Amino acid sequence: MGMEFQKVSIDQGFDLYVAPTDKFKTTWLKLVLRRSLNADEHSLNAVLPFVLRRGTRRHPTARDIARCMEELYGAQFGADVGKIGETQQIELGASVADEQFLPERIGSTEKVVAFLAEALLDPALENGVFRAEYVTQEAEILRRRIESLINDRRRYAVNRLREEMCKDEPFGLNAYGDVEQLRRVTPEGLYEHYRHVLETSPVDMFVVGPVDPDEAAAMVRRHFRLPRGRIRQPGPVVVRTPGKERTVVEHRDVQQGVLVMGLRTGVRYPDDDYPALQVYNGILGAFPHSKLFVNVRERASLAYYTWSQLEGTKGVMMITAGIAVEKYRQALGIVREQLEAVAAGDVTDAELEQTKKGLINALLSGRDSPSRIMGSRLLGIINGRLRPVDEHIEELKAVTVEDVRRVAARVRPDTIYFLRSPEGNGPDAAPGPGAVR
Amino acid sequence: MAWQKDQDARLRDEVWRTWLDNGLGVFVMRKPGFHKRYAVFSTRYGSIDNRFRRHDRPDVIEVPDGIAHFLEHQLFEDESGHVFNAFADLGASVNAYTSHVMTSYLFSATDNFPQAFDRLLDFVQAPHFTEAGVQKEIGIIEQEIRMYQDQPRHRLWMNLLQALYHVHPVRIDIAGTPESIRRITADTLQLCYDTFYHPSNMAVFVVGDVDPDAVLQQVADDMAGRNYRFRPPVERLFDPEPESVAEARVEEKMAAARPLYALGFKDAEAVRAGEGGGEAAGRRAALEALRREVTASLALSAALGRSSALYQELYDADLIDDGFGARHQAGSNFGHTVMAGETRDPHELHDRLTAGLERLRRDGIPEGEIRRAQRQGVGEFVQMFDSLEFIANGFLFYHFKGTSLFEYMQVLEQVTPDEVNARFAEHLRPEAAAVSIVWPKS
């Protein structure tokens, strides 16, 4: 049933993963450079892919690049930065329609591979470093992007919770950098960092689509000459046990309050108990049949959305709900009741089975999505443990209520964050000690 | 119930379609190798259908804003418990959405497809409206409305539609307002349901590794037990919408990081096409509308896409970023183009953007740029066919407009640069424009 990756070692610390399949009409490519997430370099790592996207020696402006992609029948080229646990990824990606579906054959797949190499290895330079205009502008755009998080109240609240809860841990850093550090990025400094990143980062390239693995490997070998030095694998994540629960309240001019609770799970992706943690999270809040949805939304009519989500690499769970400010205590009370219910093993057979089936359905559906196929392999690489879909399904099937209780006992609330308007009868300082903004 | 098969030579995908005696459209596309099977059951009933006349009553019926969306929520209530549970038991993931012009119920499943499909067919056709259910839903939907009200982009967009239209209900939020939804009752929901959830106004699309004959049999068996009677189409009523914009500029302040700017153009031809009641006047009108849509999208892509001189100018001047985009949208009696994004200076962006558009209107978009946009469009279209969600929802969307997603691609390849330029000049007239700005509240 599989779409399995074939792994080809291209160079020291440079692996190619190809999943050949005829079911897609598109070939998807992704290049990932992995870095340790830390405050010394995360802002530089963040700007880098966006500057690389601005121009190459042969295509010096973004317009030249866009034109080149459009000529290849609307090939898509993108750059981004990501964060999984305490790894920061610098990513360049592309997708291109396979030629058998296009009006003419122009070698578009190889051209896209060649272009990715060009974008990574042959950037537009002036005076031997990145173009000052591109660096200044892209750093500024990132700064705004961070400031604009408030435009999406839920994402803003979740991000603020993460910052508060993991203040002294790399996980609290924003993958898009720090607004103050971004002001100070220079073309010289960034270029020096770029050379260092090329030499020391583990690099993974993923290809999914109607391609032959040997041909793909040959293309990559033809076009990529990565400078390789001493490769540094990102280190393990910081694991903390929570102390006393903290509450943080922030006032903004908003119509709806956003409640976020951050918890430490004790169990992480590489652990044997991770599938049990997923089932725990599913029973609690990952689905419309979950306890949070049923009790906060359907029974109490307090929210339109209420979910729990895992960040398994770090070992963190977050619960969110968009509520009226004056319903804060009631909503928080219901959330706590649900946490206690799962911990007490108050789980019906239907809840357990529905959750397992839902998780299995999501895993299998992931095989129809190129980005999820690539993403789950990357997750495995970063965690040092691959979970092939078939094995993962068997692990999920074997989870019992007792397993759920065992992992629930390790889950501990750490921080509560509430975004609210100044008006209304909600709590200013909700119960409990801690910073109040 | 014989199948008609439409194949697209380029995509090598095939849509099988047929109609049941009760008027229901049934569509299937096979996608071998996919694990997921995806089914959508849609009705051509959206937020704009808030005034209508039925064949069996002389009066004009006017219903509260947001009722189509409210009804969508309420179909998830049934007598035995919650519809979500029925799908969860099968490991299927169910959802629904309401737009201006249609409401869709959908699920995806990697296992138990026939059982889940039965449940989809059943819950959409078995409403269970009660006053208690309505009261419960008001609290939930009010929070949904407030969530959207808190999004600067949503406010920017709604304000723009209110500036563009005088009376057309596309200017009203799909979910209604906290006040309007309080006027909804179980009886009104039932009336809307009976009016718009008739098979002759609905269609089903299934895509994935499925057997089309088995799908059709299942739908036919389901319908056989339901005694639908023939019914003339409902008359959807709209006040005449002037071609002019209602207001040239709307501004608002709210908690936002930076100013947001949107420039909209009312599509006079689309508005005019709907004159005389708003019903699409047959196949020819539908094809003309499709051509208007394709030429407008191509014009925007050529004039303002990533590779355009104007986009590059605005980006280099630090007036737009990646989030800036332009798109055209049209129904049977409304249509508009919106260009929007965050900006450091809405006034400067407005001046340079409108000047650039005027220049292109006067000189014409270079032919090469239009050809490139066509090439890009074809390739992007091919790429979208890897998404089952795009296929099913896209086909239903164009089906209700009287055309087909395949025809979109064919027209995209056929149109000439002259047509695109003529459309650009006719549609993006300065007097058809309105501006919406959201300023950060300090």
Side-chain angles (χ1 to χ4, degrees):
Chain A
M1 122 200 258
M3 176 168 339
E4 299 304 331
F5 277 110
Q6 301 186 20
K7 179 177 171 182
V8 185
S9 176
I10 300 291
D11 200 343
Q12 185 199 345
F14 180 15
D15 294 321
L16 171 68
Y17 298 87
V18 187
T21 170
D22 285 332
K23 79 179 191 189
F24 298 130
K25 298 181 195 302
T26 309
T27 299
W28 304 75
L29 308 105
K30 188 156 145 170
L31 195 60
V32 181
L33 288 75
R34 285 180 281 125
R35 305 294 299 172
S36 206
L37 178 65
N38 65 66
D40 292 336
E41 63 169 72
H42 79 300
S43 299
L44 290 171
N45 289 338
V47 186
L48 192 51
F50 297 102
V51 169
L52 294 177
R53 189 184 64 167
R54 285 300 294 279
T56 70
R57 192 165 51 86
R58 289 180 54 220
H59 299 89
T61 69
R63 190 179 179 205
D64 296 325
I65 293 176
R67 200 169 273 238
C68 163
M69 291 297 128
E70 288 171 17
E71 291 291 354
L72 295 174
Y73 286 91
Q76 308 285 317
F77 165 62
D80 206 353
V81 58
K83 171 170 98 169
I84 296 179
E86 288 168 354
T87 293
Q88 186 183 19
Q89 309 97 252
I90 297 166
E91 302 183 347
L92 295 178
S95 64
V96 56
D98 194 75
E99 300 197 313
Q100 56 182 311
F101 305 104
L102 295 177
E104 54 179 344
R105 301 203 172 215
I106 49 173
S108 47
T109 302
E110 175 145 16
K111 283 182 176 156
V112 170
V113 172
F115 179 77
L116 278 180
E118 183 185 320
L120 180 68
L121 301 170
D122 198 7
L125 303 178
E126 65 187 7
N127 308 320
V129 297
F130 289 123
R131 290 188 174 193
E133 186 197 345
Y134 292 173
V135 174
T136 315
Q137 201 178 2
E138 293 303 324
E140 172 65 16
I141 288 174
L142 277 185
R143 226 167 50 74
R144 287 183 198 150
R145 183 173 184 149
I146 295 166
E147 288 169 355
S148 291
L149 253 182
I150 184 66
N151 292 356
D152 183 337
R153 312 295 195 231
R154 182 180 172 211
R155 277 187 54 209
Y156 174 81
V158 166
N159 189 59
R160 287 281 301 115
L161 179 276
R162 237 182 336 236
E163 280 177 6
E164 289 289 340
M165 176 166 154
C166 302
K167 257 184 206 171
D168 312 316
E169 302 157 59
F171 191 67
L173 297 171
N174 191 323
Y176 290 105
D178 170 87
V179 285
E180 288 311 314
Q181 288 182 358
L182 286 167
R183 283 185 211 280
R184 300 194 296 268
V185 175
T186 63
E188 296 78 18
L190 186 64
Y191 189 73
E192 192 187 331
H193 182 67
Y194 159 73
R195 299 303 309 179
H196 175 68
V197 163
L198 282 186
E199 282 171 19
T200 59
S201 308
V203 179
D204 305 298
M205 185 162 178
F206 303 90
V207 179
V208 176
V211 289
D212 176 78
D214 294 333
E215 279 178 32
M219 284 181 201
V220 171
R221 287 210 168 89
R222 267 199 294 281
H223 298 288
F224 280 88
R225 293 267 182 280
L226 272 183
R228 300 275 73 186
R230 184 202 290 255
I231 308 301
R232 282 193 226 154
Q233 296 291 337
V237 296
V238 176
V239 177
R240 290 262 164 89
T241 327
K244 210 164 176 195
E245 191 180 290
R246 280 172 71 226
T247 301
V248 179
V249 178
E250 182 171 338
H251 290 89
R252 298 291 289 248
D253 185 18
V254 293
Q255 289 213 10
Q256 183 179 59
V258 184
L259 169 64
V260 192
M261 181 191 274
L263 306 94
R264 309 251 181 191
T265 58
V267 175
R268 298 177 43 251
Y269 187 91
D271 300 333
D272 290 343
D273 257 343
Y274 183 70
L277 180 69
Q278 288 184 294
V279 173
Y280 165 83
N281 176 57
I283 291 168
L284 182 72
F287 298 99
H289 68 258
S290 304
K291 287 185 185 291
L292 287 175
F293 194 91
V294 169
N295 290 288
V296 178
R297 171 171 151 148
E298 297 299 322
R299 295 221 170 106
S301 289
L302 292 182
Y304 168 65
Y305 70 82
T306 175
W307 305 107
S308 66
Q309 65 191 86
L310 286 177
E311 212 292 13
T313 305
K314 174 68 178 172
V316 161
M317 183 170 82
M318 278 172 292
I319 295 172
T320 56
I323 54 171
V325 170
E326 62 275 15
K327 302 289 187 188
Y328 173 81
R329 273 166 218 277
Q330 191 190 348
L332 188 58
I334 298 175
V335 168
R336 289 199 201 276
E337 280 166 26
Q338 308 320 307
L339 285 165
E340 282 159 20
V342 189
D346 179 6
V347 174
T348 64
D349 288 347
E351 285 175 308
L352 181 69
E353 288 311 309
Q354 290 176 346
T355 297
K356 289 186 191 182
K357 285 178 185 164
L359 290 168
I360 291 166
N361 184 46
L363 278 176
L364 288 172
S365 301
R367 290 185 155 180
D368 294 339
S369 155
S371 67
R372 282 168 64 194
I373 290 167
M374 297 189 284
S376 67
R377 183 63 178 223
L378 179 62
L379 192 61
I381 293 170
I382 286 174
N383 279 283
R385 173 166 183 170
L386 300 182
R387 285 187 185 277
V389 172
D390 295 346
E391 279 175 35
H392 199 160
I393 289 174
E394 291 312 311
E395 289 177 304
L396 287 168
K397 282 184 177 163
V399 173
T400 63
V401 172
E402 199 37 52
D403 296 328
V404 172
R405 273 180 68 158
R406 188 177 62 250
V407 297
R410 302 186 59 180
V411 178
R412 304 265 296 277
D414 185 300
T415 304
I416 294 168
Y417 168 89
F418 190 47
L419 175 68
R420 56 159 296 181
S421 61
E423 301 86 32
N425 291 321
D428 261 327
V436 174
R437 294 160 65 112
Chain B
M1 290 196 311
W3 288 114
Q4 278 179 274
K5 298 175 192 174
D6 298 333
Q7 202 200 29
D8 186 89
R10 168 137 307 137
L11 292 163
R12 275 176 256 155
D13 275 323
E14 200 171 52
V15 170
W16 298 32
R17 62 188 163 103
T18 191
W19 275 264
L20 301 187
D21 292 340
N22 62 22
L24 182 76
V26 181
F27 297 77
V28 181
M29 184 185 280
R30 303 185 66 172
K31 279 285 202 179
F34 278 75
H35 298 274
K36 188 163 66 181
R37 293 153 190 110
Y38 184 77
V40 189
F41 192 2
S42 296
T43 170
R44 201 186 135 223
Y45 169 50
S47 64
I48 66 169
D49 300 306
N50 58 5
R51 216 150 59 88
F52 50 89
R53 187 159 35 216
R54 289 164 54 107
H55 71 286
D56 55 354
R57 280 171 59 168
D59 57 323
V60 170
I61 300 166
E62 195 157 356
V63 292
D65 293 338
I67 196 165
H69 169 257
F70 203 100
L71 199 166
E72 173 233 295
H73 273 240
Q74 285 277 284
L75 276 195
F76 283 83
E77 301 285 324
D78 66 8
E79 281 165 273
S80 59
H82 212 274
V83 167
F84 283 120
N85 273 314
F87 283 88
D89 282 338
L90 299 170
S93 169
V94 64
N95 213 334
Y97 66 89
T98 306
S99 75
H100 287 130
V101 294
M102 62 197 278
T103 311
S104 296
Y105 302 82
L106 53 97
F107 76 88
S108 70
T110 48
D111 198 6
N112 300 318
F113 175 81
Q115 294 91 323
F117 190 44
D118 262 339
R119 290 185 187 181
L120 175 73
L121 294 171
D122 189 66
F123 93 84
V124 175
Q125 296 179 91
H128 183 63
F129 304 120
T130 63
E131 286 310 324
V134 169
Q135 287 313 310
K136 183 211 89 172
E137 210 66 55
I138 285 174
I140 296 171
I141 295 182
E142 181 169 342
Q143 289 309 314
E144 184 177 4
I145 292 170
R146 299 214 182 275
M147 177 185 80
Y148 283 114
Q149 285 294 315
D150 262 342
Q151 296 173 0
R153 269 191 176 263
H154 182 76
R155 294 265 278 273
L156 180 79
W157 170 258
M158 282 316 304
N159 289 348
L160 184 69
L161 290 181
Q162 282 166 17
L164 287 172
Y165 294 92
H166 295 259
V167 292
H168 195 285
V170 70
R171 70 198 298 280
I172 298 160
D173 201 323
I174 290 169
T177 64
E179 296 71 38
S180 74
I181 60 171
R182 286 179 204 286
R183 297 201 307 271
I184 293 172
T185 63
D187 287 344
T188 333
L189 287 169
Q190 189 67 49
L191 175 68
C192 290
Y193 183 88
D194 292 340
T195 306
F196 293 101
Y197 283 67
H198 186 275
S200 57
N201 193 47
M202 301 177 81
V204 177
F205 199 106
V206 175
V207 56
D209 204 344
V210 292
D211 170 11
D213 291 327
V215 169
L216 179 57
Q217 193 58 51
Q218 211 180 332
V219 179
D221 288 348
D222 177 277
M223 294 288 158
R226 294 188 193 267
N227 292 324
Y228 285 105
R229 276 182 304 177
F230 169 79
R231 217 174 49 195
V234 56
E235 199 185 337
R236 299 163 205 250
L237 301 172
F238 296 90
D239 284 328
E241 172 68 33
E243 285 181 18
S244 66
V245 301
E247 279 177 275
R249 177 182 288 260
V250 186
E251 301 184 50
E252 182 178 352
K253 276 190 178 174
M254 68 182 289
R258 310 171 56 224
L260 287 93
Y261 166 88
L263 174 65
F265 290 89
K266 193 166 177 174
D267 190 343
E269 287 208 25
V271 172
R272 224 177 293 140
E275 278 169 12
E279 287 299 312
R283 175 88 179 132
R284 225 184 81 192
L287 282 176
E288 280 168 12
L290 179 63
R291 218 164 174 96
R292 280 198 303 273
E293 194 177 327
V294 171
T295 45
S297 295
L298 272 175
L300 293 176
S301 171
L304 264 178
R306 296 285 148 102
S307 76
S308 68
L310 186 52
Y311 183 93
Q312 186 76 20
E313 178 198 324
L314 300 173
Y315 195 99
D316 288 345
D318 200 21
L319 286 166
I320 59 170
D321 58 30
D322 260 0
F324 182 84
R327 73 187 186 116
H328 178 264
Q329 200 183 18
S332 61
N333 57 7
F334 66 92
H336 45 261
T337 281
V338 177
M339 310 167 180
E342 281 186 30
T343 182
R344 63 173 169 80
D345 186 344
H347 297 305
E348 190 185 339
L349 174 56
H350 177 78
D351 291 345
R352 292 178 73 159
L353 176 60
T354 48
L357 293 172
E358 262 315 285
R359 230 167 23 238
L360 286 168
R361 233 162 67 87
R362 191 188 59 218
D363 304 339
I365 306 166
E367 187 178 329
E369 303 289 314
I370 295 170
R371 296 269 183 222
R372 186 162 31 240
Q374 278 175 295
R375 247 171 115 95
Q376 178 190 8
V378 169
E380 287 179 355
F381 206 85
V382 171
Q383 296 189 38
M384 293 308 290
F385 270 74
D386 282 348
S387 160
L388 304 189
E389 291 81 359
F390 171 82
I391 292 169
N393 292 295
F395 267 102
L396 286 170
F397 182 73
Y398 286 101
H399 164 65
F400 285 141
K401 289 184 175 209
T403 60
S404 142
L405 194 57
F406 283 157
E407 282 177 324
Y408 187 101
M409 170 115 150
Q410 287 146 13
V411 174
L412 180 71
E413 291 193 66
Q414 282 164 9
V415 292
T416 64
D418 284 347
E419 259 180 284
V420 173
N421 264 317
R423 174 78 166 123
F424 186 82
E426 160 275 308
H427 174 32
L428 301 188
R429 290 173 302 120
E431 56 275 26
V435 172
S436 167
I437 299 173
V438 170
W439 296 97
K441 200 180 216 172
S442 49

